[in-house]
C-alpha cells in the first residue's frame, strides 16, 4: 500500500510463532531421535533445525501463529534447555521440592525463594 514507509515495506512485521505443548513435544521428540549428532551438550547443527521445521509442518499442518522456521525451532530448543536447567538447579537447591504437577510450589514471598534469587 501507498501509506507504508520504505522501512515498513522492506521489513514487514513477521507473525510470531505460537507453540502448543504438542508442537513443543514434537520438536523435542524429533531432536531426541537425532541426539547422537548433537554431542553431550545437545548443540544441534543448523540443518537439524531446518529438518525439524519441515517435520513440524507435516506433523502439525494447522499451526497457529507464524511458521515454525529453523530459527524458531532453534530458539524454542534454547528456551526449553534453559527451562530444564533451571528446574534441575531448583531440584538440587536446599529447601526446594519439585513435582511435575505443582512445580516448585514457592511464591515470591517465600524466604527460601528470596535466598535462592540473591
Amino acid at each position: 500500500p501507498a501509506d507504508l514507509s520504505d522501512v515498513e515495506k522492506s521489513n514487514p512485521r513477521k507473525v510470531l510463532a505460537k507453540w502448543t505443548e504438542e508442537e513443543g513435544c514434537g520438536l523435542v521428540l524429533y531432536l531426541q531421535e537425532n541426539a547422537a549428532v548433537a554431542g553431550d551438550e545437545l548443540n544441534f547443527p543448523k540443518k537439524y533445525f531446518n529438518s525439524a521445521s519441515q517435520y513440524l509442518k507435516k506433523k502439525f499442518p494447522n499451526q497457529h501463529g507464524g511458521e515454525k522456521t529453523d530459527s524458531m525451532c532453534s530458539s524454542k530448543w534454547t528456551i526449553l534447555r534453559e527451562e530444564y536447567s533451571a528446574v534441575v538447579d531448583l531440584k538440587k537447591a536446599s529447601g526446594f521440592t519439585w513435582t511435575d504437577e505443582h512445580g516448585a510450589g514457592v511464591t515470591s514471598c517465600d524466604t527460601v525463594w528470596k535466598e535462592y534469587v540473591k
Side-chain angles (χ1 to χ4, degrees):
D3 59 340
L4 291 178
S5 72
D6 289 337
V7 172
E8 290 172 318
K9 290 177 191 173
S10 66
N11 188 15
R13 183 176 220 165
K14 292 187 178 185
V15 178
L16 296 176
K18 294 181 182 176
W19 290 83
T20 64
E21 186 173 342
E22 291 81 15
E23 290 167 341
C25 288
L27 174 64
V28 170
L29 291 173
Y30 178 83
L31 294 175
Q32 183 181 24
E33 291 174 6
N34 295 283
V37 301
D40 292 340
E41 297 295 317
L42 295 176
N43 293 317
F44 289 89
K46 183 176 176 149
K47 71 179 183 177
Y48 286 93
F49 292 111
N50 191 6
S51 298
S53 174
Q54 297 304 315
Y55 168 80
L56 291 173
K57 282 181 194 174
K58 289 177 186 169
K59 185 159 177 72
F60 304 101
N62 299 318
Q63 297 179 18
H64 296 3
E67 179 182 353
K68 289 159 183 96
T69 63
D70 57 340
S71 63
M72 293 286 190
C73 290
S74 178
S75 294
K76 182 66 173 177
W77 177 242
T78 299
I79 290 167
L80 290 171
R81 283 180 39 189
E82 289 170 354
E83 290 173 347
Y84 174 79
S85 294
V87 169
V88 168
D89 289 345
L90 280 175
K91 288 174 84 171
K92 291 178 184 177
S94 177
F96 286 98
T97 59
W98 180 273
T99 66
D100 290 338
E101 184 179 348
H102 300 291
V106 297
T107 66
S108 60
C109 316
D110 289 340
T111 306
V112 172
W113 180 251
K114 288 178 182 178
E115 287 299 315
Y116 179 77
V117 295
K118 277 186 179 180

